[in-house]
Amino acid sequence: MVPCQGGEAAAAPVAGGKEPEVPLSREDGAGTGQPCLCPAPGMEAAGAEERRVCGCCSGSSWTCCCKAPGTKKKAACPGLGLFYTVLSAFLFSVASLFLKKIEGVHSVEVSAFRCVFQMAFVLPGLIYYKTGFLGPKGKRIFLFFRGFLGSSAMILLYYAFQVMPLADATVITFSSPVFTSLLAWIFLKEKYSLWDLLFTLFALTGVVLIARPPFLFGSRVTGIEGSYTDHLKGTIAAITSTVSAASTIVILRKVGKSVHYFLSIWYYAVIGLIGCVIALFVMNEWRLPYCGKDRVFLILIGLLGLGGQIFLTKALQIEKAGPVAIMKTMDVVFAFILQILFLNHLPTWWTVGGALCVVASSSGTAIRKWRQSLKKAKQNEI
C-alpha cells in the first residue's frame, strides 16, 4: 500500500526531485491530515477499481472516498446555514421588541447607540485585515452612499417600530427584494420580467392592506397603535427604509468584491453615527435614558442587532442566497408571536392578508433568483 494523490498513483519524480503537484478534489482544498492508502500500481487487476480501499475513510471503497476525483465534501452539518438564518431572524425580532419597550428615547438616539456597537466590532477587523479606513479611491463615493442610505434605512425602520405595530413594520420591510429587483433593472440593467412585475404588485398590495388609507378603507380604521397620523408616518418611514435598504444592496452589487465587507460596515456605522449626532442636536433630543431598564434595553438592542447581522452573514457564507431569503421570512412569524405575547396586540386580518401578500412576493422573488443562479451555474459547467 502506498500513499496516493487525487485517485492516481504518483508518477515518476520530475526534474529537481520534486513530486508533481496534484490539486485536491475536495471543495475546501484542505486535507484530513491522513494519507490515502491505496494499492500501488500493478497490485490489482484492471477493472477492480471499486474494490480498492481507502484508509482515510474507514475502509470505504475507493469510488466513495472523500478524495476520489469528482467527489464533493459533505457538509459538516446539513441545514446549519438555515439554522443561522432562523437564529438571526429571532435576534433581530427580539431587538425590535426591546425597541418597542423603550420609553422616552428617540429612534435616532437608538440608532446612534447601534452605530457605536457596529464600530466597536468592525474596528479590530479593519486593523487585522489591513483594509484601511477609506477604501479604494474609485469606490469611496459608492461606499459613502452605501453608508448614508444604509444608516438612513436603519433610523427610519426604528422610527416605524416605535410608532406602529411591530408586525406591520416588519412585514413592510420584507418587500425589499421586490424593490431591489426594480432598482437593479433601472440602474444595473438587470433583467426585469413579467414575474418581477407581478411580485411587485403583490408587495404593493400587501403594503396597502397594512397602511389601510382612509380613501380606500373609510375614516374608521381599526387595529392600529395610537392615532392614524402616526400609523401613516410609520408606514411612510418603513417604505422609505425598505427602498433605502434596496438601494444599498444595488450599490453593494455595483461595488462587488473589490471592497472588503468590514469596510462596508465601517462606512455604514461612521456615517450613521455622524448623521445621528447632527440630527439629535438639531432636534434637541439628545439625552440619556432616565431609567436603568431603558439603558439595558439600549445595550441589548446593540448586541442583538450585531449578533443578528453576524449570524446572517455566516448563513450567506455557507448556504445559497435563495434558501436564506426564504427562511428569513421567519422574521414575520417571530414579529407576530412577540407582538401577541409581550405587547398584547392582536394583528388584524388586514395585517395578516398584507403579510401573506408581501411574504409570497419576497419568497417568489427569492425562488426565481435562486433558480436562475442554478441554471446559470449549470450552463457554465457545460
Side-chain angles (χ1 to χ4, degrees):
M1 306 291 285
V2 295
C4 69
Q5 295 180 350
E8 299 178 358
V14 296
K18 294 183 180 180
E19 295 184 358
E21 295 183 359
V22 180
L24 295 175
S25 60
R26 296 173 62 185
E27 285 184 326
D28 60 351
T32 58
Q34 298 179 355
C36 184
L37 301 179
C38 299
M43 293 183 64
E44 289 195 356
E49 177 94 9
E50 282 131 6
R51 294 198 302 272
R52 294 163 68 185
V53 175
C54 171
C56 65
C57 292
S58 302
S60 301
S61 64
W62 169 240
T63 54
C64 299
C65 174
C66 63
K67 293 183 180 179
T71 303
K72 293 184 178 181
K73 179 185 175 184
K74 292 184 178 179
C77 182
L80 183 61
L82 300 182
F83 171 75
Y84 283 154
T85 307
V86 174
L87 183 57
S88 169
F90 178 74
L91 294 178
F92 281 133
S93 299
V94 175
S96 303
L97 175 65
F98 288 154
L99 181 62
K100 295 285 291 184
K101 289 288 187 179
I102 289 181
E103 299 177 359
V105 180
H106 199 278
S107 60
V108 178
E109 186 172 352
V110 179
S111 303
F113 276 93
R114 170 74 183 276
C115 290
V116 170
F117 276 94
Q118 295 277 82
M119 292 175 62
F121 168 75
V122 172
L123 185 58
L126 293 179
I127 297 174
Y128 178 79
Y129 289 106
K130 300 178 181 179
T131 62
F133 296 95
L134 297 178
K137 289 185 178 180
K139 305 295 182 181
R140 291 175 187 175
I141 184 65
F142 295 108
L143 288 171
F144 172 81
F145 281 108
R146 181 268 184 269
F148 176 76
L149 292 171
S151 57
S152 298
M154 174 184 62
I155 295 171
L156 292 169
L157 180 60
Y158 282 1
Y159 175 77
F161 279 139
Q162 286 188 332
V163 300
M164 67 186 303
L166 179 63
D168 291 13
T170 303
V171 168
I172 292 176
T173 61
F174 265 82
S175 58
S176 179
V178 178
F179 288 110
T180 302
S181 299
L182 182 60
L183 292 175
W185 171 60
I186 296 174
F187 295 103
L188 301 182
K189 308 303 179 183
E190 294 185 4
K191 186 177 179 181
Y192 191 80
S193 66
L194 290 176
W195 280 108
D196 294 313
L197 178 60
L198 179 63
F199 294 144
T200 302
L201 294 177
F202 256 89
L204 294 177
T205 301
V207 172
V208 170
L209 291 177
I210 293 172
R212 299 190 290 282
F215 67 90
L216 290 178
F217 294 84
S219 57
R220 299 180 62 183
V221 180
T222 59
I224 63 175
E225 290 181 0
S227 65
Y228 180 78
T229 301
D230 288 338
H231 181 82
L232 184 60
K233 289 180 180 178
T235 302
I236 295 174
I239 295 174
T240 308
S241 171
T242 301
V243 175
S244 298
S247 303
T248 299
I249 296 175
V250 172
I251 292 174
L252 291 176
R253 285 186 187 177
K254 179 69 175 179
V255 172
K257 297 181 180 180
S258 60
V259 176
H260 197 278
Y261 174 73
F262 276 138
L263 190 61
S264 175
I265 301 179
W266 174 256
Y267 267 82
Y268 167 89
V270 171
I271 294 176
L273 180 60
I274 294 173
C276 288
V277 171
I278 294 174
L280 287 171
F281 277 105
V282 170
M283 296 185 300
N284 196 23
E285 289 284 349
W286 178 264
R287 59 179 178 273
L288 287 174
Y290 299 109
C291 177
K293 181 179 67 173
D294 287 343
R295 297 181 184 181
V296 174
F297 282 156
L298 279 176
I299 296 175
L300 290 176
I301 289 171
L303 293 176
L304 291 171
L306 183 59
Q309 190 169 30
I310 291 173
F311 281 113
L312 182 59
T313 303
K314 289 178 69 67
L316 290 170
Q317 288 176 342
I318 62 178
E319 186 60 80
K320 294 184 181 298
V324 171
I326 297 171
M327 190 60 66
K328 202 174 182 302
T329 56
M330 288 298 296
D331 269 340
V332 177
V333 177
F334 288 133
F336 275 95
I337 294 174
L338 295 177
Q339 177 175 300
I340 295 172
L341 293 180
F342 297 100
L343 301 177
N344 298 320
H345 186 87
L346 290 173
T348 64
W349 287 111
W350 294 114
T351 298
V352 175
L356 292 176
C357 289
V358 172
V359 170
S361 173
S362 60
S363 299
T365 302
I367 292 173
R368 187 172 179 276
K369 296 296 183 184
W370 180 25
R371 292 183 62 182
Q372 286 179 344
S373 64
L374 292 178
K375 184 178 179 180
K376 186 176 180 181
K378 289 182 180 179
Q379 290 176 347
N380 292 335
E381 289 178 1
I382 296 174

